[in-house]
Amino acid sequence: MNNDYKSPAFRKLLDSLQQQSWELELLISGFAIFGLFTAYEPLKIEMLNAENERQIYSFVVHFIALIACSILLFNLLLHVILRGLWIGALGLRYVSGDIEFDKLKYTDKFKNYLSKKIVSFDRYIGSLENYCSVLFAISFLLIFYVIALALVIICFVLIANFIIDNETLPRWISQGVGIFLMIFLVIGMLLTFFDFITQGLLKRNKWVAKVYFPIYWVFSFVTLSFLYRPLVYNFLDNKFGKRLILLLTPIYVCILILASFTYEKSNYLDADRDSSSIFANKENYQDLLTEEGDLPGEIVIPSKIIRTPYLPVFIPFEENIEDRIFAYDSTIKPEKDLRGLSSDIQITGSGNSWKNRRQRDSLRKRYVTLFNEIYSFKIDTLKLDSDFIATTNTKGQLGFETNIDIREISEGKHLLILRRFRKVKDTTETYIEAEIPFWHFKE
């Protein structure tokens, strides 16, 4: 096949494909909608799980993926509906031809009004064709915009983690170069966004364009816009494409607002309320976490009714737990914090890596000991010491587990209270981290 875009044969091929593009559009839309519906729920579950475990990087990735999935689903479903209407209009045209207003026997007022608004049935079919084609292209262009936003956020994170917070680099690099790059990214992002929403206003003034061009050139690589740039400018030089984009924008805003509405059943009761002496949230009871999207709370016990002489307790691990341990005893804090994004590629020698690993192994016992010092329990007014060990639950989630002896407590309702200690200068303050009601009945 001749791919010379200047040759008449290639243009003729493109014209032929253009006429049959609706078949490919429907085929791709069908497969894409099926795949997106399949991926939507797992993406949502992973996003909520990352939010629950305070995993900021994983949350951002899954959140952006969920936004892209939602946009694509809405646009492709709308595209399929409009294509179906277009096919139906073609079939009706074959049976009935054009609209003959004279046969309807309307008054002149309605006849003239409808003739002016509708003009002809062929024009209606042509408008549907335009909307379908442009909407299909916009759907995938919007995904590139979401990816561009994600890449900009990733650049911020990489500069913050690997340059500004990198203690191995000289200060003039980590602070000077790092802060300069961060400021450049902020200014470049704002200018690029302004140029985007104004449809190229910064490119129209001669002197402004000279200043903006280096930023535009850098961000064309950061956002990968060089991959979809022809598609963007093809929209911008077409009034119909601009009009459709302006039409879709308020629709997206309306959908976002409508999705924020919830129906409140009570002035005082809330299904998402934290557990307390008068409320039991399912997130704190293992036997109630039956659905795939159910996530554990700050503390989990097996059930609301405990019939055994012991009470198993599981606390899911969160990054802020480690921050609390470091704040409680700063001597255990490593010189280089390994949390966050990391690579398996080792720049330093294997000897240093092995030495660091041995040091971490020797401090793990002290780490768990400090956790037990920070966290303790009360059942009603009875104070209990904790004896946690690090483990994983049945779903493979990392956390801390212990078993409380409850042989001596009476039968009936009780309140399990998780307390957390925090050192403030020379004193220790106590916080109530969680409260969980349960019933104890001996077998």
Side-chain angles (χ1 to χ4, degrees):
M1 183 177 68
N2 184 9
N3 290 331
D4 183 6
Y5 69 95
K6 294 182 179 180
S7 68
F10 185 69
R11 293 183 180 180
K12 185 177 180 181
L13 175 64
L14 290 181
D15 290 338
S16 176
L17 292 174
Q18 181 178 302
Q19 297 298 323
Q20 304 299 323
S21 64
W22 66 272
E23 297 176 353
L24 294 175
E25 289 177 13
L26 283 177
L27 185 65
I28 293 173
S29 294
F31 279 109
I33 289 171
F34 175 77
L36 291 169
F37 268 120
T38 304
Y40 185 85
E41 196 62 30
L43 281 174
K44 185 178 180 181
I45 292 172
E46 288 298 324
M47 183 194 73
L48 294 175
N49 187 49
E51 181 183 17
N52 188 60
E53 296 182 3
R54 307 293 196 275
Q55 297 176 356
I56 183 63
Y57 303 113
S58 179
F59 172 77
V60 170
V61 169
H62 288 97
F63 178 68
I64 291 172
L66 193 66
I67 290 176
C69 184
S70 301
I71 291 174
L72 206 53
L73 262 177
F74 172 78
N75 281 6
L76 292 181
L77 284 172
L78 182 60
H79 169 261
V80 169
I81 292 172
L82 291 179
R83 269 298 173 194
L85 184 61
W86 177 76
I87 293 172
L90 284 176
L92 184 60
R93 182 183 183 279
Y94 174 77
V95 173
S96 182
D98 207 346
I99 301 174
E100 299 180 23
F101 292 100
D102 293 333
K103 291 185 178 181
L104 298 174
K105 298 180 180 180
Y106 290 160
T107 61
D108 290 340
K109 184 176 182 64
F110 277 99
K111 179 181 176 182
N112 294 333
Y113 176 79
L114 292 174
S115 298
K116 186 183 298 183
K117 290 294 181 181
I118 299 176
V119 182
S120 72
F121 196 59
D122 289 353
R123 181 187 177 185
Y124 172 72
I125 294 174
S127 297
L128 282 177
E129 165 68 21
N130 290 337
Y131 275 112
C132 291
S133 298
V134 174
L135 181 62
F136 186 78
I138 285 178
S139 301
F140 293 94
L141 180 60
L142 288 174
I143 300 306
F144 278 112
Y145 284 146
V146 173
I147 293 174
L149 177 62
L151 290 174
V152 172
I153 294 174
I154 289 172
C155 286
F156 277 112
V157 173
L158 291 176
I159 292 173
N161 281 351
F162 294 100
I163 299 180
I164 296 178
D165 291 339
N166 193 338
E167 298 178 358
T168 61
L169 293 175
R171 186 174 178 81
W172 69 272
I173 295 180
S174 61
Q175 298 299 314
V177 177
I179 293 176
F180 170 77
L181 290 176
M182 193 68 77
I183 294 173
F184 176 80
L185 268 182
V186 172
I187 296 175
M189 179 184 67
L190 293 176
L191 290 177
T192 303
F193 180 71
F194 177 78
D195 186 63
F196 166 71
I197 61 175
T198 58
Q199 298 181 352
L201 182 63
L202 298 181
K203 302 184 185 77
R204 295 170 188 168
N205 184 279
K206 179 180 179 181
W207 302 109
V208 174
K210 286 184 177 181
V211 177
Y212 176 62
F213 181 78
I215 297 174
Y216 172 80
W217 184 82
V218 171
F219 270 77
S220 68
F221 290 96
V222 172
T223 62
L224 302 181
S225 66
F226 60 89
L227 295 175
Y228 52 90
R229 187 181 295 148
L231 199 61
V232 174
Y233 290 108
N234 208 320
F235 275 118
L236 294 179
D237 72 353
N238 183 276
K239 291 184 178 180
F240 186 83
K242 287 184 180 180
R243 189 163 62 245
L244 186 58
I245 291 175
L246 293 175
L247 178 66
L248 285 174
T249 302
I251 291 177
Y252 289 141
V253 174
C254 290
I255 291 174
L256 185 63
I257 294 174
L258 289 174
S260 67
F261 281 97
T262 56
Y263 183 81
E264 298 293 340
K265 297 180 181 179
S266 171
N267 289 295
Y268 301 102
L269 300 179
D270 184 4
D272 294 328
R273 188 179 180 84
D274 292 336
S275 293
S276 64
S277 59
I278 59 172
F279 187 83
N281 194 312
K282 64 180 291 186
E283 68 179 9
N284 299 119
Y285 304 97
Q286 187 63 46
D287 61 342
L288 298 181
L289 302 176
T290 54
E291 299 180 7
E292 188 178 359
D294 289 340
L295 301 173
E298 290 184 285
I299 181 172
V300 181
I301 62 176
S303 177
K304 293 177 184 177
I305 300 175
I306 305 298
R307 300 186 182 276
T308 58
Y310 57 90
L311 176 62
V313 179
F314 180 77
I315 298 180
F317 177 79
E318 299 174 358
E319 284 192 25
N320 57 4
I321 289 178
E322 192 154 305
D323 293 331
R324 291 167 185 168
I325 293 176
F326 293 161
Y328 189 81
D329 186 354
S330 59
T331 61
I332 198 173
K333 185 175 182 179
E335 295 181 2
K336 181 179 180 181
D337 198 332
L338 299 178
R339 292 177 296 175
L341 294 176
S342 61
S343 174
D344 291 334
I345 300 174
Q346 298 293 333
I347 299 177
T348 58
S350 58
N352 291 334
S353 177
W354 173 250
K355 181 180 178 181
N356 292 335
R357 185 175 298 178
R358 289 184 63 186
Q359 289 176 348
R360 289 200 306 272
D361 290 341
S362 65
L363 290 172
R364 282 196 178 97
K365 187 174 181 179
R366 175 62 180 162
Y367 183 94
V368 177
T369 301
L370 287 171
F371 180 87
N372 282 288
E373 290 181 15
I374 294 173
Y375 291 91
S376 63
F377 292 107
K378 284 176 61 177
I379 294 183
D380 300 328
T381 58
L382 179 63
K383 294 181 180 180
L384 301 167
D385 293 328
S386 61
D387 190 15
F388 283 98
I389 63 170
T391 184
T392 54
N393 62 7
T394 55
K395 294 184 178 180
Q397 186 177 20
L398 180 65
F400 300 90
E401 184 178 26
T402 189
N403 288 275
I404 302 174
D405 186 355
I406 56 173
R407 287 175 294 182
E408 302 302 324
I409 70 171
S410 61
E411 293 187 332
K413 180 187 172 184
H414 297 279
L415 185 66
L416 175 67
I417 303 172
L418 176 65
R419 302 187 303 165
R420 175 170 64 88
F421 299 132
R422 188 180 75 168
K423 287 184 178 180
V424 180
K425 295 182 179 179
D426 297 330
T427 61
T428 302
E429 297 180 350
T430 305
Y431 295 88
I432 295 178
E433 195 73 11
E435 296 179 332
I436 305 176
F438 71 96
W439 285 262
H440 175 50
F441 297 105
K442 300 177 182 179
E443 293 185 351

